Amino acid sequence: MFNRTRCLQITAALASISLLAGCGMLSEDDGDGAKPIVVGTTSAPSTLDPAAAWDGSWELYRNVYQTLLAFPTGSTKPQPDAAQNCEFTDGASQAYRCTLRKGLKFSNGEPLDSKAVKHSLDRIRTIGSKVGPKDLFGSLDKIETPDELTVVFHLKTSDATFPYVLGSPAASLVAPKMYPADKLREDGKITGSGPYLLDSYKEGAEAVLTENAGYTGFANRQNKAVTIRYYADSAKMVAALKGKELDATYRGLSAAQVTDLQTPESHKLGVQVVENVGAEIRYLVFNPKDPAVNKLAVRQAIAQIVDRGTLVSKVYQGTAEPLYSMVPKGVVGHKTPYYDKYGAPDVNKAKKILKDAGITQTVDLTFWYTTDRYGSSTADEFTELKRQLDETNLFRITLRSQPWKTFQEGYKGQEYPVFGRGWFPDFPDPDNFIAPFVGKENAVGTPYESTEILNDLLPKSRRDGDRSAGVDEFEKAQQIFAEDVRLLPLWQGKLYVAAREDIAGGERALDPQTAMQMWELYRKTSW
């Protein structure tokens, strides 16, 4: 394989490995700075309104909307963006005060003041979209605006993670006149205050971004314009990169495509690869509404059979690694409870689990996955899972799939007995790999009311601003997950940015939510 020169930049929760040749300093292209950077991705927005998206739409939001706090490159703690400063004003982490920067405006000229902040966040809870981020604001009680630059968040319970939520695209700030308080905006436009303006948008095809000259915030824009092109087929995206129709690609590359882009032949075509070892995970969700899945023995038997090593080797070819917890490696508190409990894959142990529960006949189950959210390898992944389970004669698996929008409606409507999901962190904290999956309403649409996690472990972990202080609680929560097997972690992936050789900044472009910060990309004058 092509021997790439590597430079290593480590952050607390994410590591980025720059594969740029020589890793040397290269000058920006002053004469071509206005030419748009064209980026391809398979992760098209499901909506342009932040009140109705808790998914890959955040990639676009990060670049066109502003948040009170944000995560500059290399930071794992939220830093001021639209806010000048923010802090808890009590010892119980229940009152959080932010002071806004002076003179902020939305792209339509409306002031970005405390009332606009209150409007932006209140409407998320008022609208209450099933596929929106309202659950991230579960600890929020009320918002006060004592003056035009001051916002005070009163929380129902102690929640030291609340600043992290404010630093995520879930808390995107919108212009009150353009975004109704009680319904979604549906005109296909965006009015924000972020680094870029949405100049034009074709759903599922293209978003054209131009610099927002009025932007005031943490982002240091390295380019003046970015065009994002959306692909349903990653093969076409790779072909466009090799054919110089794209400057960079992100999300959706299959393992085979990553390997191909790292070959000398691709290098000769002027392609480079940046490898990001991040906190992206894949997992199965079991819906207890289904009579078979409702049986703990069925879920535990599947956990006993699934061979993550073979799955990763056959399908992902070194671009992922087996995962034995919902909290991935690199995040504080990571353990391996699923391996500790189930050990190596063992059909005989699975058979005994089922027999002890009185299950002696083959269990029929339908596994669902989405065709256009996580890349073309998803189908191969589920084919391999089916093979592993079918060959035991303990299970008979039927595979079904849907495009993301339909799939999302299905799992939120609890229509699927077993389905696959991916998780890109909302913020770099172990809480974000536990809390979103529990409760009557949660990110996967299947109620999981673990009393100990909800009433004891999470509240304890959220009292201390020192996030390492809650390690014991997170370790216990991971053990409960492994016992219940309502979720089955499969693998932890690496993220790849493939780009033309004249494009720099790819090693700095991913934030802790693994959204691409388009402003970090720029053209070079030489290679």
Side-chain angles (χ1 to χ4, degrees):
M1 182 177 291
F2 174 52
N3 183 19
R4 299 157 294 165
T5 304
R6 303 188 178 204
C7 293
L8 181 64
Q9 178 192 46
I10 301 177
T11 64
L14 300 173
S16 294
I17 304 174
S18 173
L19 308 184
L20 307 181
C23 298
M25 296 300 293
L26 293 144
S27 60
E28 294 183 37
D29 187 344
D30 297 329
D32 204 21
K35 184 179 179 181
I37 304 285
V38 184
V39 178
T41 177
T42 60
S43 186
S46 56
T47 175
L48 298 184
D49 191 325
W54 193 358
D55 59 22
S57 305
W58 284 16
E59 190 118 273
L60 178 61
Y61 298 172
R62 174 56 77 200
N63 293 279
V64 295
Y65 291 112
Q66 205 167 7
T67 46
L68 289 172
L69 302 169
F71 294 90
T73 299
S75 172
T76 56
K77 292 185 178 180
Q79 306 295 325
D81 186 10
Q84 181 176 310
N85 58 71
C86 294
E87 62 180 352
F88 279 107
T89 57
D90 66 337
S93 298
Q94 286 187 257
Y96 195 68
R97 178 188 295 267
C98 289
T99 301
L100 294 169
R101 297 176 188 262
K102 294 181 180 179
L104 293 179
K105 292 183 181 297
F106 292 103
S107 57
N108 67 340
E110 281 187 73
L112 198 172
D113 55 16
S114 60
K115 290 183 179 179
V117 173
K118 177 175 170 59
H119 173 87
S120 298
L121 302 188
D122 277 349
R123 68 187 295 269
I124 294 172
R125 298 186 296 162
T126 298
I127 294 170
S129 170
K130 286 185 177 181
V131 292
K134 62 182 176 61
D135 293 339
L136 282 173
F137 296 92
S139 65
L140 179 59
D141 182 18
K142 62 180 179 179
I143 304 173
E144 291 183 341
T145 56
D147 60 56
E148 65 178 14
L149 294 180
T150 304
V151 187
V152 181
F153 302 94
H154 294 280
L155 309 181
K156 302 171 188 175
T157 58
S158 300
D159 187 0
T161 70
F162 189 70
Y164 292 78
V165 176
L166 292 182
S168 75
S172 295
L173 304 176
V174 299
K177 290 182 180 179
M178 306 305 296
Y179 294 79
D182 57 355
K183 63 181 180 179
L184 298 175
R185 180 176 181 177
E186 298 179 345
D187 64 355
K189 297 181 180 180
I190 283 176
T191 308
S193 59
Y196 296 98
L197 305 175
L198 183 64
D199 191 60
S200 66
Y201 180 72
K202 296 178 182 178
E203 184 175 358
E206 184 178 82
V208 177
L209 311 183
T210 55
E211 68 172 330
N212 179 5
Y215 168 73
T216 302
F218 81 95
N220 181 19
R221 228 177 6 241
Q222 301 296 311
N223 60 68
K224 294 183 180 298
V226 175
T227 296
I228 306 172
R229 291 179 183 163
Y230 301 110
Y231 292 82
D233 184 347
S234 60
K236 293 181 179 179
M237 181 173 71
V238 170
L241 177 67
K242 290 183 175 181
K244 299 184 180 181
E245 297 171 30
L246 296 176
D247 294 308
T249 64
Y250 177 54
R251 289 215 199 281
L253 295 173
S254 70
Q257 288 163 349
V258 170
T259 301
D260 173 66
L261 290 171
Q262 293 171 338
T263 62
E265 289 74 16
S266 292
H267 184 65
K268 289 177 183 178
L269 292 175
V271 176
Q272 59 174 315
V273 176
V274 177
E275 177 184 296
N276 297 274
V277 184
E280 172 195 7
I281 68 173
R282 292 289 190 277
Y283 57 97
L284 294 178
V285 182
F286 295 95
N287 181 3
K289 188 177 178 180
D290 180 84
V293 174
N294 187 46
K295 298 172 182 176
L296 176 60
V298 169
R299 306 195 301 270
Q300 289 185 333
I302 293 173
Q304 186 64 71
I305 292 168
V306 169
D307 187 339
R308 296 168 176 82
T310 298
L311 174 68
V312 167
S313 175
K314 289 182 65 174
V315 179
Y316 292 102
Q317 304 168 30
T319 63
E321 59 182 312
L323 181 64
Y324 298 94
S325 171
M326 291 297 287
V327 178
K329 290 172 63 176
V331 175
V332 172
H334 165 75
K335 293 293 180 180
T336 57
Y338 286 81
Y339 186 83
D340 298 340
K341 180 170 177 59
Y342 301 101
D346 192 317
V347 175
N348 289 328
K349 286 183 179 179
K351 187 174 183 178
K352 185 177 186 304
I353 291 172
L354 293 172
K355 184 178 179 180
D356 289 349
I359 302 171
T360 57
Q361 295 185 333
T362 301
V363 179
D364 288 294
L365 288 173
T366 300
F367 281 27
W368 288 80
Y369 64 92
T370 181
T371 57
D372 58 351
R373 172 60 50 172
Y374 307 122
S376 58
S377 295
T378 305
D380 296 333
E381 175 181 338
F382 274 78
T383 298
E384 172 60 18
L385 288 171
K386 171 180 167 60
R387 183 197 66 79
Q388 292 183 13
L389 292 164
D390 283 355
E391 285 187 354
T392 67
N393 293 320
L394 300 175
F395 293 92
R396 185 164 42 241
I397 306 300
T398 300
L399 298 182
R400 294 284 184 269
S401 61
Q402 291 282 6
W404 174 250
K405 282 193 174 182
T406 306
F407 177 79
Q408 193 176 36
E409 293 170 359
Y411 77 72
K412 282 291 185 179
Q414 299 183 46
E415 297 175 12
Y416 308 148
V418 185
F419 58 95
R421 284 294 314 274
W423 186 252
F424 305 98
D426 303 314
F427 49 85
D429 188 277
D431 185 283
N432 196 235
F433 294 91
I434 302 293
F437 307 107
V438 293
K440 187 175 182 179
E441 296 183 350
N442 57 49
V444 295
T446 56
Y448 180 18
E449 299 184 72
S450 171
T451 302
E452 185 174 2
I453 295 176
L454 289 167
N455 298 339
D456 181 25
L457 300 177
L458 285 177
K460 280 184 180 178
S461 72
R462 290 172 172 175
R463 290 172 190 158
D464 199 324
D466 178 4
R467 301 309 298 142
S468 63
V471 167
D472 290 345
E473 285 75 28
F474 292 124
E475 289 181 1
K476 179 60 177 174
Q478 291 173 76
Q479 291 171 7
I480 292 172
F481 275 4
E483 290 286 343
D484 293 345
V485 201
R486 292 288 302 277
L487 304 151
L488 185 65
L490 297 173
W491 54 268
Q492 175 176 350
K494 302 171 185 178
L495 298 175
Y496 295 87
V497 176
R500 305 295 308 174
E501 286 186 323
D502 66 334
I503 299 297
E507 75 280 8
R508 292 178 52 83
L510 303 186
D511 73 358
Q513 290 106 358
T514 70
M516 183 179 276
Q517 302 174 137
M518 300 294 179
W519 58 83
E520 294 284 3
L521 302 176
Y522 64 92
R523 299 184 187 280
K524 305 187 298 288
T525 54
S526 61
W527 180 248

Short mmCIF file of all heavy atoms in Angstrom, two decimals, residues 300-334:
data_model
loop_
_atom_site.label_atom_id
_atom_site.label_comp_id
_atom_site.label_asym_id
_atom_site.label_seq_id
_atom_site.Cartn_x
_atom_site.Cartn_y
_atom_site.Cartn_z
N GLN A 300 -29.78 -11.34 24.28
CA GLN A 300 -28.48 -11.79 24.79
C GLN A 300 -27.86 -12.85 23.88
O GLN A 300 -26.63 -12.88 23.71
CB GLN A 300 -28.65 -12.33 26.20
CG GLN A 300 -28.94 -11.24 27.23
CD GLN A 300 -28.97 -11.76 28.65
OE1 GLN A 300 -29.28 -12.93 28.88
NE2 GLN A 300 -28.66 -10.89 29.62
N ALA A 301 -28.68 -13.69 23.28
CA ALA A 301 -28.15 -14.70 22.36
C ALA A 301 -27.52 -14.05 21.13
O ALA A 301 -26.48 -14.49 20.64
CB ALA A 301 -29.26 -15.66 21.95
N ILE A 302 -28.17 -13.00 20.63
CA ILE A 302 -27.59 -12.28 19.48
C ILE A 302 -26.27 -11.65 19.88
O ILE A 302 -25.28 -11.70 19.14
CB ILE A 302 -28.58 -11.21 18.97
CG1 ILE A 302 -29.81 -11.90 18.35
CG2 ILE A 302 -27.91 -10.30 17.94
CD1 ILE A 302 -30.92 -10.94 17.96
N ALA A 303 -26.23 -11.06 21.08
CA ALA A 303 -24.98 -10.47 21.58
C ALA A 303 -23.88 -11.52 21.71
O ALA A 303 -22.69 -11.22 21.53
CB ALA A 303 -25.23 -9.79 22.93
N GLN A 304 -24.28 -12.76 22.01
CA GLN A 304 -23.32 -13.84 22.17
C GLN A 304 -22.79 -14.35 20.83
O GLN A 304 -21.69 -14.90 20.75
CB GLN A 304 -23.97 -15.00 22.93
CG GLN A 304 -23.04 -16.13 23.30
CD GLN A 304 -21.96 -15.69 24.27
OE1 GLN A 304 -22.22 -15.42 25.43
NE2 GLN A 304 -20.72 -15.59 23.78
N ILE A 305 -23.56 -14.13 19.76
CA ILE A 305 -23.20 -14.67 18.45
C ILE A 305 -22.41 -13.68 17.59
O ILE A 305 -21.45 -14.08 16.90
CB ILE A 305 -24.48 -15.09 17.68
CG1 ILE A 305 -25.11 -16.30 18.37
CG2 ILE A 305 -24.17 -15.40 16.22
CD1 ILE A 305 -26.51 -16.61 17.86
N VAL A 306 -22.80 -12.42 17.59
CA VAL A 306 -22.22 -11.45 16.65
C VAL A 306 -20.69 -11.40 16.78
O VAL A 306 -20.15 -11.18 17.87
CB VAL A 306 -22.83 -10.05 16.86
CG1 VAL A 306 -22.05 -9.00 16.08
CG2 VAL A 306 -24.29 -10.05 16.42
N ASP A 307 -20.04 -11.60 15.67
CA ASP A 307 -18.57 -11.59 15.59
C ASP A 307 -18.13 -10.25 15.00
O ASP A 307 -18.06 -10.08 13.78
CB ASP A 307 -18.10 -12.76 14.73
CG ASP A 307 -16.59 -12.93 14.74
OD1 ASP A 307 -15.89 -11.96 15.07
OD2 ASP A 307 -16.13 -14.03 14.41
N ARG A 308 -17.81 -9.32 15.87
CA ARG A 308 -17.43 -7.98 15.42
C ARG A 308 -16.13 -7.99 14.64
O ARG A 308 -15.97 -7.24 13.67
CB ARG A 308 -17.31 -7.04 16.63
CG ARG A 308 -18.60 -6.81 17.39
CD ARG A 308 -18.29 -6.11 18.72
NE ARG A 308 -19.48 -5.76 19.47
CZ ARG A 308 -20.15 -6.62 20.25
NH1 ARG A 308 -19.73 -7.88 20.35
NH2 ARG A 308 -21.21 -6.23 20.93
N GLY A 309 -15.19 -8.83 15.07
CA GLY A 309 -13.90 -8.89 14.39
C GLY A 309 -14.05 -9.28 12.93
O GLY A 309 -13.46 -8.67 12.04
N THR A 310 -14.86 -10.32 12.68
CA THR A 310 -15.08 -10.75 11.30
C THR A 310 -15.85 -9.69 10.52
O THR A 310 -15.55 -9.43 9.35
CB THR A 310 -15.87 -12.08 11.29
OG1 THR A 310 -15.09 -13.09 11.95
CG2 THR A 310 -16.17 -12.53 9.88
N LEU A 311 -16.83 -9.08 11.16
CA LEU A 311 -17.61 -8.02 10.51
C LEU A 311 -16.71 -6.88 10.05
O LEU A 311 -16.76 -6.44 8.89
CB LEU A 311 -18.67 -7.50 11.49
CG LEU A 311 -19.49 -6.29 11.02
CD1 LEU A 311 -20.40 -6.68 9.87
CD2 LEU A 311 -20.31 -5.73 12.18
N VAL A 312 -15.85 -6.41 10.94
CA VAL A 312 -14.96 -5.30 10.63
C VAL A 312 -13.95 -5.70 9.56
O VAL A 312 -13.66 -4.93 8.63
CB VAL A 312 -14.25 -4.81 11.91
CG1 VAL A 312 -13.09 -3.88 11.56
CG2 VAL A 312 -15.23 -4.10 12.83
N SER A 313 -13.42 -6.92 9.68
CA SER A 313 -12.40 -7.38 8.72
C SER A 313 -12.98 -7.53 7.32
O SER A 313 -12.38 -7.08 6.34
CB SER A 313 -11.83 -8.72 9.20
OG SER A 313 -10.93 -9.24 8.25
N LYS A 314 -14.16 -8.15 7.21
CA LYS A 314 -14.74 -8.42 5.90
C LYS A 314 -15.33 -7.19 5.24
O LYS A 314 -15.20 -7.00 4.03
CB LYS A 314 -15.83 -9.50 6.03
CG LYS A 314 -15.30 -10.89 6.34
CD LYS A 314 -16.41 -11.90 6.40
CE LYS A 314 -17.11 -12.11 5.06
NZ LYS A 314 -18.09 -13.21 5.11
N VAL A 315 -15.98 -6.36 6.02
CA VAL A 315 -16.72 -5.24 5.44
C VAL A 315 -15.93 -3.93 5.47
O VAL A 315 -15.97 -3.16 4.51
CB VAL A 315 -18.07 -5.05 6.18
CG1 VAL A 315 -18.84 -3.87 5.59
CG2 VAL A 315 -18.90 -6.33 6.10
N TYR A 316 -15.19 -3.69 6.55
CA TYR A 316 -14.57 -2.37 6.71
C TYR A 316 -13.05 -2.36 6.56
O TYR A 316 -12.45 -1.29 6.55
CB TYR A 316 -15.01 -1.77 8.05
CG TYR A 316 -16.48 -1.43 8.02
CD1 TYR A 316 -17.41 -2.25 8.63
CD2 TYR A 316 -16.94 -0.33 7.30
CE1 TYR A 316 -18.78 -1.97 8.55
CE2 TYR A 316 -18.29 -0.04 7.22
CZ TYR A 316 -19.20 -0.86 7.84
OH TYR A 316 -20.54 -0.58 7.76
N GLN A 317 -12.44 -3.52 6.44
CA GLN A 317 -11.06 -3.63 5.99
C GLN A 317 -10.09 -2.65 6.65
O GLN A 317 -9.33 -1.95 6.00
CB GLN A 317 -11.00 -3.44 4.47
CG GLN A 317 -11.89 -4.40 3.70
CD GLN A 317 -12.06 -4.01 2.26
OE1 GLN A 317 -11.16 -3.43 1.67
NE2 GLN A 317 -13.18 -4.33 1.67
N GLY A 318 -10.17 -2.58 7.98
CA GLY A 318 -9.23 -1.73 8.70
C GLY A 318 -9.66 -0.29 8.88
O GLY A 318 -8.94 0.50 9.50
N THR A 319 -10.81 0.08 8.35
CA THR A 319 -11.29 1.45 8.53
C THR A 319 -12.18 1.59 9.75
O THR A 319 -12.76 2.65 9.99
CB THR A 319 -12.06 1.93 7.28
OG1 THR A 319 -13.22 1.11 7.11
CG2 THR A 319 -11.20 1.84 6.04
N ALA A 320 -12.31 0.51 10.53
CA ALA A 320 -13.10 0.52 11.76
C ALA A 320 -12.51 -0.51 12.70
O ALA A 320 -11.66 -1.33 12.31
CB ALA A 320 -14.56 0.21 11.47
N GLU A 321 -12.96 -0.50 13.96
CA GLU A 321 -12.51 -1.51 14.91
C GLU A 321 -13.69 -1.95 15.77
O GLU A 321 -14.65 -1.19 15.97
CB GLU A 321 -11.38 -0.96 15.79
CG GLU A 321 -11.73 0.28 16.59
CD GLU A 321 -10.53 0.79 17.38
OE1 GLU A 321 -9.88 -0.03 18.06
OE2 GLU A 321 -10.25 2.00 17.32
N PRO A 322 -13.65 -3.19 16.28
CA PRO A 322 -14.76 -3.69 17.08
C PRO A 322 -15.03 -2.81 18.29
O PRO A 322 -14.09 -2.26 18.89
CB PRO A 322 -14.27 -5.08 17.52
CG PRO A 322 -13.29 -5.48 16.47
CD PRO A 322 -12.61 -4.22 16.06
N LEU A 323 -16.30 -2.68 18.65
CA LEU A 323 -16.70 -1.84 19.77
C LEU A 323 -17.53 -2.66 20.75
O LEU A 323 -18.50 -3.32 20.36
CB LEU A 323 -17.50 -0.64 19.27
CG LEU A 323 -17.98 0.37 20.33
CD1 LEU A 323 -16.79 1.05 21.01
CD2 LEU A 323 -18.88 1.42 19.69
N TYR A 324 -17.16 -2.61 22.03
CA TYR A 324 -17.83 -3.41 23.05
C TYR A 324 -18.48 -2.54 24.12
O TYR A 324 -18.70 -2.99 25.23
CB TYR A 324 -16.83 -4.38 23.68
CG TYR A 324 -16.26 -5.36 22.69
CD1 TYR A 324 -15.05 -5.09 22.03
CD2 TYR A 324 -16.93 -6.53 22.37
CE1 TYR A 324 -14.54 -5.98 21.10
CE2 TYR A 324 -16.43 -7.43 21.44
CZ TYR A 324 -15.23 -7.14 20.81
OH TYR A 324 -14.72 -8.02 19.87
N SER A 325 -18.79 -1.31 23.76
CA SER A 325 -19.51 -0.40 24.66
C SER A 325 -20.11 0.70 23.82
O SER A 325 -19.61 1.00 22.74
CB SER A 325 -18.56 0.21 25.69
OG SER A 325 -19.21 1.23 26.42
N MET A 326 -21.18 1.31 24.32
CA MET A 326 -21.72 2.47 23.61
C MET A 326 -20.82 3.69 23.77
O MET A 326 -20.89 4.63 22.99
CB MET A 326 -23.13 2.78 24.11
CG MET A 326 -24.17 1.74 23.71
SD MET A 326 -24.41 1.58 21.92
CE MET A 326 -25.30 3.12 21.57
N VAL A 327 -19.97 3.68 24.78
CA VAL A 327 -18.98 4.76 24.97
C VAL A 327 -17.70 4.33 24.26
O VAL A 327 -17.06 3.36 24.67
CB VAL A 327 -18.71 5.02 26.46
CG1 VAL A 327 -17.64 6.11 26.62
CG2 VAL A 327 -19.99 5.43 27.18
N PRO A 328 -17.29 5.00 23.20
CA PRO A 328 -16.16 4.54 22.39
C PRO A 328 -14.80 4.82 23.02
O PRO A 328 -14.68 5.61 23.96
CB PRO A 328 -16.33 5.32 21.09
CG PRO A 328 -17.01 6.59 21.51
CD PRO A 328 -17.93 6.20 22.63
N LYS A 329 -13.80 4.18 22.48
CA LYS A 329 -12.43 4.45 22.89
C LYS A 329 -12.10 5.92 22.63
O LYS A 329 -12.54 6.50 21.65
CB LYS A 329 -11.45 3.56 22.10
CG LYS A 329 -11.51 2.10 22.47
CD LYS A 329 -10.67 1.26 21.52
CE LYS A 329 -9.19 1.61 21.59
NZ LYS A 329 -8.37 0.72 20.72
N GLY A 330 -11.31 6.50 23.54
CA GLY A 330 -10.94 7.90 23.38
C GLY A 330 -11.84 8.84 24.16
O GLY A 330 -11.52 10.02 24.30
N VAL A 331 -12.97 8.33 24.65
CA VAL A 331 -13.88 9.14 25.45
C VAL A 331 -13.75 8.70 26.91
O VAL A 331 -13.67 7.50 27.21
CB VAL A 331 -15.34 8.98 24.97
CG1 VAL A 331 -16.30 9.73 25.88
CG2 VAL A 331 -15.47 9.49 23.53
N VAL A 332 -13.73 9.67 27.82
CA VAL A 332 -13.57 9.39 29.25
C VAL A 332 -14.57 8.33 29.71
O VAL A 332 -15.75 8.40 29.39
CB VAL A 332 -13.76 10.68 30.07
CG1 VAL A 332 -13.77 10.36 31.57
CG2 VAL A 332 -12.65 11.68 29.76
N GLY A 333 -14.10 7.33 30.46
CA GLY A 333 -14.99 6.33 31.03
C GLY A 333 -15.21 5.10 30.17
O GLY A 333 -15.97 4.21 30.56
N HIS A 334 -14.58 5.04 28.99
CA HIS A 334 -14.77 3.89 28.11
C HIS A 334 -14.37 2.58 28.78
O HIS A 334 -13.30 2.46 29.37
CB HIS A 334 -13.95 4.06 26.83
CG HIS A 334 -13.80 2.80 26.04
ND1 HIS A 334 -14.83 2.27 25.28
CD2 HIS A 334 -12.76 1.93 25.91
CE1 HIS A 334 -14.42 1.16 24.70
NE2 HIS A 334 -13.17 0.93 25.06
#
